[in-house]
Structure formats: C-alpha cells, structure tokens
Amino acid sequence: MKRSIILIALFLLHIVSFAQSNSRPSIAVADIDANEIYFANPQQTLSDLVRMEINQMNSYELLDRYDMAFLAKRDSIKIGGCFSKICLIEIGKQLKVDKILTGSIMTIGNSINVSFRVLDVQTEKIEKSHSIEFLKLHTELKAMIHI
C-alpha cells in the first residue's frame, strides 16, 4: 500500500510540476466524481483534500473553495456536479482561472481507480491526465491523493 501511496504522490507531483516558476498559473479544483466512496459529501471532501495538496505544493495560485462559492453565488455559476470537459471549461472561464482540475474515484471489484485531469481553460484541452489503481481500502483514501 505504501508503494501505491508513493505512486499517487508522484503522479500529483508530476501534474503540477509543469507550472512556470516565475508566474504561477491560477487553478480551480472542481468536484471529484466519487459517488461510490462513502463520505457524507464525497465530492466536497475529496475536492478539499486535493486543494490542500495543491496548496502545499505552491505551484499554482489556488482559487479556494470559499472564493469559488462567493464567485458562484455572485455570478450565478453552477459549480457542483460538473464533470464533463465542456462544463469544466465553461466554469473555468467564468471563474477566470488558467487551469481547472477534476477527477474521479470509483470502485471496480476489489480495487479503487483514482483518476485526475488538468484542463487548460484557454486552449480548452486536457493538459494532463492520469489514472492509477489501488486495493479497495477506504480507510486509505486520503493517502491515495497525498503528495
């Protein structure tokens, strides 16, 4: 399991390592699709964990969840439940960020598949995407996205 944790940490490190050193691009973390994971509010819980990890890396100017909530309310932006590329790009444009990160965590048999995507809002392209599989140990979910 420790090997799996190290692999996911390296993956997340790789995703955010392409940030420019002299000017940090802005990024928003959208919901993480995790309906099969058993938290009270899995999308918000996992998105918050991902935000904490990105914030610790200091590679991006992170739009935190409170700013996202404020902008969503002020500008009538529907943020929750957006997982498609088209929807994510639209939200990224409305939030005026350079990048938007989303992902999914799903159970498949006795394993959990963790997948993340970083989309470039301006080019409307998926900039980075990666998936990794773990043994189905829900108690280790936080470690799966730890950097």
Side-chain angles (χ1 to χ4, degrees), residues 4-130:
S4 297
I5 294 168
I6 291 170
L7 288 174
I8 194 70
L10 290 173
F11 159 69
L12 284 175
L13 181 62
H14 175 70
I15 279 184
V16 296
S17 66
F18 59 87
Q20 299 172 349
S21 60
N22 57 355
S23 100
R24 297 183 312 165
S26 60
I27 192 168
V29 177
D31 282 349
I32 306 297
D33 188 7
N35 292 328
E36 298 175 19
I37 306 300
Y38 304 104
F39 292 123
N41 185 348
Q43 284 85 12
Q44 183 174 348
T45 302
L46 294 169
S47 295
D48 286 344
L49 290 172
V50 171
R51 278 186 198 96
M52 286 188 302
E53 294 299 322
I54 289 175
N55 198 41
Q56 288 176 358
M57 298 206 52
N58 206 27
S59 297
Y60 287 99
E61 187 64 39
L62 179 65
L63 184 64
D64 72 24
R65 78 175 173 137
Y66 300 108
D67 289 335
M68 284 180 67
F70 172 79
L71 293 171
K73 185 176 180 180
R74 184 190 73 187
D75 300 338
S76 301
I77 304 169
K78 183 183 181 297
I79 293 176
C82 176
F83 303 110
S84 74
K85 180 180 166 187
I86 295 168
C87 181
L88 291 164
I89 295 297
E90 183 64 31
I91 286 175
K93 288 178 180 179
Q94 292 174 324
L95 293 173
K96 296 179 176 76
V97 293
D98 300 315
K99 317 280 183 199
I100 191 158
L101 183 142
T102 189
S104 65
I105 298 178
M106 64 173 53
T107 57
I108 302 170
N110 290 327
S111 64
I112 296 176
N113 185 287
V114 179
S115 176
F116 290 102
R117 299 183 293 164
V118 175
L119 292 96
D120 185 296
V121 174
Q122 183 178 1
T123 66
E124 299 185 4
K125 304 274 185 203
I126 296 172
E127 195 168 270
K128 297 282 182 180
S129 178
H130 189 71

